[in-house]
Amino acid sequence: MASGSNGARRIASLMRPSLADSRVCRSCQETLVRRNYSTGTAQAAPETPSASSTSQSTVTTPVLNSKHIIQAGVVLSRPPQITRDLTPFEKSFFFYQKRLNERLVLPFTKYFYFRPKTPLDEDWKRKVKERQTAARDIGKYNAYSKDAWNDELLVGATEHEPENAMETLVKDAESIANATSQDAAKKEEVPKPAPRVTEADKQGDQKSLNRLLQRTLYLLVQTNEGYWKFPSSPVQTEETLRAAAERTLEQAAGINMNTWMVGYHPVGHHVYNLRRPKMDAASETQILGEKTFFMKGRIMAGQADLTKNEQNLKDFKWLSKEEIAQYVLPQYYSNIKNMLPDR
């Protein structure tokens, strides 16, 4: 019976290796914590203590309390400032709808405004011949000619590009303003819309909030050891998770930011298990690792400042979701990627 019991224990140990074994990777350690294994080996009957065993002194193993350090993390984001970029199909489709609308609307009743064979009527005919359409941003297209059906774009055309439409409309507005201006010597200039690509984009400045305006940016900080992460710190005694997140953000990125927390509940969590648990001599507790719960926040104004941070941080960046994957550890990213929207 003793040999059968030892065999059962050996099989169980092979199917469920020790978490402290250095040959077991971190991912497998987390899996071993979650799984429960069962074997077909029958449970051996408890052995009856013999006289020799009772005569020996009993060795007792102290029971240690184990825990994870609970941390509060902050996913601080800057929302998109402009609309997203259109796909090539969307650009072509919207341009086709513009030309189709030119064919469906009623023509301009010029005789209501201009008497036939008057200077104004002749001037109107000249302008119509030049423009061929009432909407300058759809190019040379006569919606009432016999070739009006041919309203699709040719390969390599740029009329459907937003930049081309913007330049065309600005030039048209400037020509009208100069034609009706009282001062012929002064050239009127129409203000252009702000560019979608900023100087920070051109220079690759990842610390600037004025970049990737069509995407959501997230604040990442770098520890002295070189690891990138979201701002986080241990939750103190009798401190709520939201209060801990607000304190963490102030200690990590300074007070020169106008921010607010979205809700009182975390949007996700990350579990980090130590390869070898360590002892906390003060509380006589075995530390297994860290559990970080992330609170969602928004920045309205200001900028991060690490000059007086209290968490031994040395750098920060404002990154998009795809850029975050290039800086953080793969296991860390696998736990946080579902918290971040694609845009």
Side-chain angles (χ1 to χ4, degrees):
M1 183 63 69
S3 61
S5 176
N6 293 334
R9 293 194 189 97
R10 180 173 180 79
I11 293 175
S13 64
L14 291 175
M15 296 187 64
R16 188 179 178 88
S18 173
L19 295 180
D21 193 346
S22 60
R23 295 172 297 177
V24 181
C25 66
R26 185 179 303 170
S27 177
C28 295
Q29 290 179 5
E30 296 179 0
T31 305
L32 292 173
V33 173
R34 296 192 298 266
R35 293 182 180 177
N36 293 321
Y37 293 93
S38 62
T39 63
T41 306
Q43 295 291 338
E47 299 180 0
T48 304
S50 59
S52 60
S53 62
T54 55
S55 61
Q56 298 176 356
S57 60
T58 304
V59 179
T60 59
T61 303
V63 179
L64 298 178
N65 294 326
S66 302
K67 70 174 185 179
H68 286 77
I69 298 177
I70 306 300
Q71 293 200 357
V74 183
V75 182
L76 187 66
S77 62
R78 186 224 65 187
Q81 305 297 299
I82 59 177
T83 57
R84 64 174 178 84
D85 295 333
L86 299 178
T87 63
F89 173 78
E90 290 173 335
K91 294 177 183 178
S92 301
F93 180 78
F94 292 153
F95 184 80
Y96 170 75
Q97 291 293 324
K98 288 182 179 180
R99 286 190 170 178
L100 181 61
N101 182 69
E102 289 293 313
R103 297 173 59 185
L104 297 178
V105 297
L106 293 175
F108 178 70
T109 55
K110 63 177 181 177
Y111 294 114
F112 181 80
Y113 297 94
F114 311 123
R115 294 182 61 182
K117 299 181 180 181
T118 60
L120 290 177
D121 181 47
E122 295 299 327
D123 184 61
W124 172 260
K125 291 179 181 179
R126 178 181 59 82
K127 291 180 179 179
V128 169
K129 187 177 181 180
E130 292 177 355
R131 300 186 58 160
Q132 295 186 1
T133 180
R136 178 59 66 87
D137 61 325
I138 64 175
K140 298 287 186 178
Y141 175 71
N142 191 348
Y144 305 105
S145 66
K146 61 180 181 180
D147 297 328
W149 58 270
N150 190 13
D151 55 2
E152 296 184 359
L153 281 173
L154 300 178
V155 176
T158 59
E159 287 86 351
H160 65 295
E161 294 292 339
E163 293 79 9
N164 180 79
M166 184 267 293
E167 292 291 340
T168 304
L169 292 175
V170 169
K171 290 181 180 179
D172 185 50
E174 289 179 348
S175 63
I176 295 176
N178 292 324
T180 57
S181 176
Q182 300 295 332
D183 188 2
K186 182 180 180 181
K187 184 179 179 180
E188 297 290 340
E189 294 185 1
V190 177
K192 297 182 180 180
R196 297 176 64 90
V197 179
T198 63
E199 290 297 329
D201 290 321
K202 297 177 181 179
Q203 298 175 4
D205 185 7
Q206 294 183 330
K207 292 187 178 182
S208 174
L209 282 166
N210 193 31
R211 63 181 293 265
L212 293 181
L213 300 180
Q214 71 275 18
R215 299 294 306 277
T216 301
L217 297 182
Y218 303 92
L219 175 64
L220 255 70
V221 294
Q222 186 183 29
T223 64
N224 285 333
E225 293 79 12
Y227 296 104
W228 289 91
K229 64 172 186 175
F230 290 128
S232 61
S233 66
V235 179
Q236 298 178 359
T237 306
E238 299 182 357
E239 187 179 35
T240 64
L241 193 60
R242 173 164 173 153
E246 293 174 347
R247 173 187 53 79
T248 297
L249 188 60
E250 180 178 341
Q251 293 178 351
I255 59 176
N256 295 325
M257 292 191 300
N258 184 6
T259 62
W260 62 286
M261 292 294 167
V262 183
Y264 292 85
H265 303 283
V267 294
H269 74 285
H270 166 66
V271 179
Y272 171 74
N273 293 319
L274 297 174
R275 188 176 296 274
R276 293 182 180 276
K278 61 181 181 180
M279 284 294 302
D280 184 6
S283 59
E284 296 183 355
T285 304
Q286 190 179 34
I287 305 301
L288 302 178
E290 299 174 351
K291 291 184 178 180
T292 306
F293 296 88
F294 297 100
M295 299 292 294
K296 185 178 180 180
R298 293 284 196 187
I299 179 172
M300 311 305 295
Q303 178 60 286
D305 183 12
L306 305 186
T307 55
K308 298 181 180 179
N309 79 89
E310 303 177 14
Q311 299 181 7
N312 296 324
L313 305 175
K314 65 178 182 180
D315 200 4
F316 74 94
K317 292 180 183 292
W318 290 97
L319 304 176
S320 62
K321 181 178 180 180
E322 292 78 12
E323 293 173 335
I324 291 176
Q326 303 174 12
Y327 286 88
V328 300
L329 296 175
Q331 182 187 4
Y332 189 85
Y333 184 73
S334 65
N335 290 334
I336 67 172
K337 63 181 181 180
N338 292 333
M339 301 186 303
L340 314 177
D342 292 335
R343 182 174 176 245

